[in-house]
Structures are given as C-alpha cells and as structure tokens.
Amino acid sequence: MKKLNQLTVAFRRMLTISFLIPILLTSCKKEQSPIADDASHSKNDEVYSTLLKKGISPTMIQDLGGYYLVENDLLVKKQGTDLIALKSFLDPADNSSEAVSSKTKASNPKKAQTRTPNLIFSSNSGVILYKVDADYTWNSAIQKAVTNWSQISNTTVNFFPVMDGTPTDNWIIFMNDGGILPNNVIAAAEFPSNGEVGFRVRINLDFNNNQQVSESGKIYNMVHEIGHCLGFRHTNWQQMNENQDGASLIAGTPQQDGSSVMNGGTALNLWNGFSQYDILATQTIYPYSSLDKWITYPEQKLYYDISSNTVRYAHIALYNDDKVGVNWNPNLVNTGAINVYLYQNKKMVKMVGSNIPNLGTYSFDLPNNLYTAGGHNFYNLQIKIESVSNQNLSDMTSFFSVMVD
C-alpha cells in the first residue's frame, strides 16, 4: 500500500507474493531469461498469450510448473484460470471520480497508488471470516495481523475467526504452502474475486533455507499478505517495474511511501505500524457511510487481548431469561420508528421488532430456528435496523456471537 497500488484483482487464482529483499528481486530479474515456447506455454496457451498481449515482457514471466510467476508479484495458475477475470485485471475499466486510469499516471504522478475496479462488496468488507490452518508458530502473528487491519479507524474492514464449520464465502484461510512457493518467497496471497476477500494466504515454512523469522517479521508479512487479500497492490510498483495496465489510481496518495507495509521486496522487514497513506488508502477504498455508525451495540472491531493472547470481538452472554439488546443513536436518522431484523451467516432469520419507537434501545428473545454449535453458542449473527418511513435508511452490525447458559 505504499501507493497502495492496491489492486483488487478480480480473480482467486492470481497470487501475489512478498519476496526476500530488493537485491534478490533484482538478481532474479537479471538471471531470468525469456521463456521459450514449449508445451507449458505454447502459442496455444491463452494465459501466456494474454499476458504478452497486455504488455507483460517475456523476461517478467517465469515458469514454475503449474503457475506463471509474473513480474515477481503474481502467481497465475495455468490450468483452470479464469481468463475473463485475468483480462479484467489487466484492462482499464473504472471511470469513477475517485479513480483514474493508470494510463494517466505519467501526467498525474501525485496519485500513484492503484486498485482494480473490483473491490470487496461493502456488505462483505465488515464481515470477513478467517481460519488459521498453518503451522502453530505463525498463529499469534496471524491473529495480530488481522487485528491490525480491523483496528484501522473510519473504515468498514473487520475480521472474525471461524468458530464452527467451514464458511462458504468471503473468508481467508491461512495455510502452509506445501512446497509451492520458491525458496526466496515467504508468503503468497490471493486477490479479491466476485466481491469477496482473497481466499487464501500460503506461508513458506522453510523460507530462505529455513531462516528464522521473528514474531515481528511474521506480523509484518501477514499484514502485507492480508493487504493483497483486500485488493491492495505493491506500493512501490514503479520501482519494481510492475505493469499497471488496468489499474485505477487512489486519490490523495503519494508517488512514494517508504513506510508503507505494502512495499514489495520487504520480506525481512519488521512490523512498525501502517503508514499514514496505508490508512488513507484503506479509508478511501472501504469507507464508512453516514449510517454505518447508527447502531452502537452490539458493534465492535476485532482486537487482540495481550493479557490472554486471544482475539476479542462482540460477544453477548445470556443467562436465564435474558434478551438480546440492540442500541442505536436515535438522533442520527429522522424517523419515528424502526424495524429490527436478525441475521445469521448473512441471511435474514426473522424480523424481531416491528414499528419500534426510535428511542435508541430495544431487546428481543433469540428465535428458535437459529443454527447452534453445541446447543449453547450462536455464531455469525447480525442485527439490522431500518427506518419504517424510509427503508433505504438502514444499518447492520458486524458479526457477533451469543452464548446462552
């Protein structure tokens, strides 16, 4: 996110990777020769041909067997790749007032951070699930990394751990790479697709010949990879000679930002927080709307509890005949009454309150038809309130859980 050339690549099988250090990146480029036409990338290989047609130099396409390594940044799967999404990633397609085609970057160098037109849907950015299935030595770093993103102020981005089962959409799994990644690549992440967060982060456990990576280094790299899952590309793409066709530039971001966590070639860096432009870019891409703070409870950003070494998010404990409560700012929306709905796993379960006076508080019983884990715990719940007089005025919480004792 240095310039947060944050590209919301519209396709899951494009993986972005953090390399060891700029020196290694440079040496890779010098040693890398153009790939000759063979069975793996012949003229009939539409993936390879598409990359060439879009201006990617053959010297910047490396054959890794089942993948192409493109511009030392993206892993493109050869078989089963979504070519429509690949072309969407490479083709300019956004004319919004907030974004400018990358072809203007030479005449507008002060706006150098980029993204693709395809971002995570606003309905998904605040309810991103994640599951840690990687080596336990990376667990706390992953938890702290997702917390760091969730704690950026004035942005909808929020994460929640998978507590039960396997999600069907909008989630990230952190996993070992299984030998896929080259020795000098510490991790790889997928970009957003179909309005959902990038699906997977792979971690190279024997990175750089089993080099020891500190906790701070792990946090840095996981924050970086999550940034790619959110749609951000390397901030220093110009210095790394990365192709930016199809990118939209993020207003207000500088041409260079040495402090950005999204700079490429920084696998040996230690976590030192986001730069001010990392934060600005995130707030620009995933901003709060005027109604996103209408509900005040239960609403909470994920955070890391140092005392217990665990993540915390909105959780309600009910005892005996306790009810679930919801609070909102009664002065934010000019309405006499609201309707209240309960959702689970982003699907409406029931209208739990109708024509409720706009007094800022309401409570209700849990419906009997909720999915429960073990009979006592209810996960991935949301409450939505809407104005009775204007149903376009509404707000919905992030995920929260309920424990019934």
Side-chain angles (χ1 to χ4, degrees), residues 274-319:
F274 294 104
S275 76
Q276 69 179 93
Y277 296 110
D278 289 341
I279 294 173
L280 174 62
T282 308
Q283 293 170 337
T284 300
I285 298 302
Y286 299 111
Y288 270 133
S289 74
S290 60
L291 294 178
D292 280 331
K293 296 184 179 181
W294 191 8
I295 297 177
T296 58
Y297 175 87
E299 183 62 74
Q300 181 175 298
K301 288 273 197 157
L302 186 79
Y303 73 95
Y304 192 83
D305 185 346
I306 298 177
S307 63
S308 61
N309 289 321
T310 56
V311 292
R312 304 286 188 185
Y313 60 98
H315 176 76
I316 300 173
L318 302 181
Y319 301 95

Side-chain angles (χ1 to χ4, degrees), residues 162-380:
V162 173
M163 303 300 294
D164 180 64
T166 299
T168 58
D169 67 328
N170 200 48
W171 67 298
I172 304 175
I173 183 169
F174 295 85
M175 61 189 298
N176 304 335
D177 77 313
I180 292 177
L181 301 179
N183 180 58
N184 64 335
V185 176
I186 193 169
E190 302 186 17
F191 284 99
S193 174
N194 300 320
E196 299 176 12
V197 70
F199 169 64
R200 180 167 34 212
V201 172
R202 290 183 172 94
I203 301 171
N204 188 350
L205 298 181
D206 53 5
F207 163 67
N208 200 28
N209 300 317
N210 294 302
Q211 176 174 336
Q212 291 295 315
V213 183
S214 69
E215 177 77 355
S216 181
K218 292 175 181 177
I219 295 171
Y220 176 91
N221 280 283
M222 290 299 95
V223 170
H224 180 100
E225 298 306 328
I226 292 169
H228 289 313
C229 290
L230 294 173
F232 297 140
R233 184 83 178 261
H234 288 148
T235 298
N236 57 343
W237 60 271
Q238 290 173 314
Q239 293 91 326
M240 297 180 71
N241 295 317
E242 294 177 352
N243 185 295
Q244 290 300 299
D245 286 348
S248 299
L249 307 180
I250 300 176
T253 57
Q255 189 172 10
Q256 296 185 19
D257 179 4
S259 300
S260 173
V261 73
M262 292 310 299
N263 283 324
T266 54
L268 298 184
N269 280 18
L270 303 180
W271 173 243
N272 192 34
F274 294 104
S275 76
Q276 69 179 93
Y277 296 110
D278 289 341
I279 294 173
L280 174 62
T282 308
Q283 293 170 337
T284 300
I285 298 302
Y286 299 111
Y288 270 133
S289 74
S290 60
L291 294 178
D292 280 331
K293 296 184 179 181
W294 191 8
I295 297 177
T296 58
Y297 175 87
E299 183 62 74
Q300 181 175 298
K301 288 273 197 157
L302 186 79
Y303 73 95
Y304 192 83
D305 185 346
I306 298 177
S307 63
S308 61
N309 289 321
T310 56
V311 292
R312 304 286 188 185
Y313 60 98
H315 176 76
I316 300 173
L318 302 181
Y319 301 95
N320 300 320
D321 296 324
D322 287 348
K323 297 178 182 291
V324 177
V326 56
N327 299 333
W328 64 94
N329 180 354
N331 300 315
L332 185 63
V333 175
N334 183 19
T335 183
I338 65 167
N339 294 325
V340 183
Y341 304 86
L342 182 67
Y343 285 67
Q344 186 174 41
N345 295 318
K346 298 192 295 184
K347 296 179 180 179
M348 192 185 79
V349 176
K350 184 181 180 180
M351 175 189 281
V352 292
S354 175
N355 206 33
I356 305 302
N358 182 23
L359 300 177
T361 186
Y362 177 69
S363 59
F364 58 90
D365 293 315
L366 276 183
N368 294 324
N369 58 336
L370 289 174
Y371 170 78
T372 177
H376 295 277
N377 296 297
F378 303 86
Y379 299 117
N380 302 341

Side-chain angles (χ1 to χ4, degrees), residues 10 15 76 91-92 96 104 116 147 162 167 247 250 328 335 343 354 391 401:
L15 308 177
V76 183
D91 286 333
S96 68
T104 67
T116 57
T147 294
V162 173
I250 300 176
W328 64 94
T335 183
Y343 285 67
S354 175
Q391 294 181 356
S401 65

Side-chain angles (χ1 to χ4, degrees), residues 120-129 150 155-160 170 195 197 230 286-288 292 299-302 313 346 381-382 396-400:
I120 302 173
F121 293 154
S122 58
S123 58
N124 286 334
S125 62
V127 286
I128 302 171
L129 292 166
S150 292
T155 176
T156 58
V157 173
N158 205 3
F159 289 83
F160 298 87
N170 200 48
V197 70
L230 294 173
Y286 299 111
Y288 270 133
D292 280 331
E299 183 62 74
Q300 181 175 298
K301 288 273 197 157
L302 186 79
Y313 60 98
K346 298 192 295 184
L381 302 178
Q382 292 174 276
M396 179 178 283
T397 69
S398 297
F399 284 149
F400 65 93

